[in-house]
C-alpha cells in the first residue's frame, strides 16, 4: 500500500474519532445549557448563592462551546487535508 493511502486511512480514522468526540461534547453541552437556563432563572429571583451558581454554570457552557469549536476546526482541517490528498491520487 502506498504511503498516501496509509495517510488517508489514518486521517479518516482521526476524522471519525473527532466526529464521535464532537457528538459526545454536543450532548454534554446540551445538558449544561439546560442546567444553565435553570440557574439563570434562579439567579434572577434568588440570592447571591444562586447568582454565583449561575456564573459557574455559564462558565461551563462557555467551556463546552469552546471545546466543540476546537474539535470542529480540527476536523475541518483534517477534511481539507484529506481532500487535498485525494486530489493527488491517480485515477
Amino acid at each position: 500500500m502506498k504511503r498516501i493511502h496509509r495517510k488517508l486511512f489514518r486521517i479518516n480514522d482521526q476524522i471519525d474519532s473527532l466526529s464521535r468526540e464532537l457528538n459526545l461534547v454536543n450532548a454534554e453541552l446540551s445538558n449544561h445549557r439546560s442546567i444553565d437556563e435553570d440557574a439563570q432563572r434562579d439567579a434572577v429571583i434568588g440570592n447571591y448563592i444562586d447568582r454565583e451558581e449561575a456564573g459557574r454554570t455559564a462558565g461551563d457552557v462557555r467551556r463546552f462551546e469552546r471545546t466543540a469549536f476546537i474539535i470542529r476546526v480540527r476536523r475541518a482541517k483534517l477534511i481539507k487535508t484529506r481532500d487535498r490528498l485525494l486530489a493527488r491520487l491517480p485515477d
Side-chain angles (χ1 to χ4, degrees):
M1 185 180 300
K2 291 184 179 182
R3 182 173 175 233
I4 193 167
H5 290 103
R6 287 191 304 269
K7 190 167 187 170
L8 280 168
F9 282 123
R10 193 170 41 251
I11 288 172
N12 280 332
D13 287 343
Q14 291 172 340
I15 290 169
D16 188 48
S17 176
L18 286 173
S19 294
R20 286 191 306 270
E21 185 177 352
L22 183 60
N23 286 337
L24 293 172
V25 168
N26 282 333
E28 191 71 22
L29 176 58
S30 177
N31 289 333
H32 281 282
R33 282 183 175 150
S34 176
I35 292 168
D36 183 50
E37 288 172 6
D38 292 342
Q40 297 304 321
R41 275 193 299 273
D42 291 346
V44 171
I45 58 173
N47 57 23
Y48 73 95
I49 295 172
D50 293 327
R51 289 187 291 277
E52 287 177 0
E53 180 65 22
R56 284 192 294 276
T57 60
D60 291 341
V61 169
R62 284 191 303 273
R63 279 189 290 282
F64 275 93
E65 287 173 341
R66 188 176 329 119
T67 300
F69 175 76
I70 290 168
I71 293 170
R72 282 193 299 273
V73 167
R74 287 176 52 204
R75 190 170 153 262
K77 286 180 182 179
L78 285 171
I79 290 171
K80 186 176 179 181
T81 300
R82 180 191 62 188
D83 292 346
R84 186 177 44 81
L85 289 173
L86 284 171
R88 290 178 36 198
L89 284 177
D91 291 333

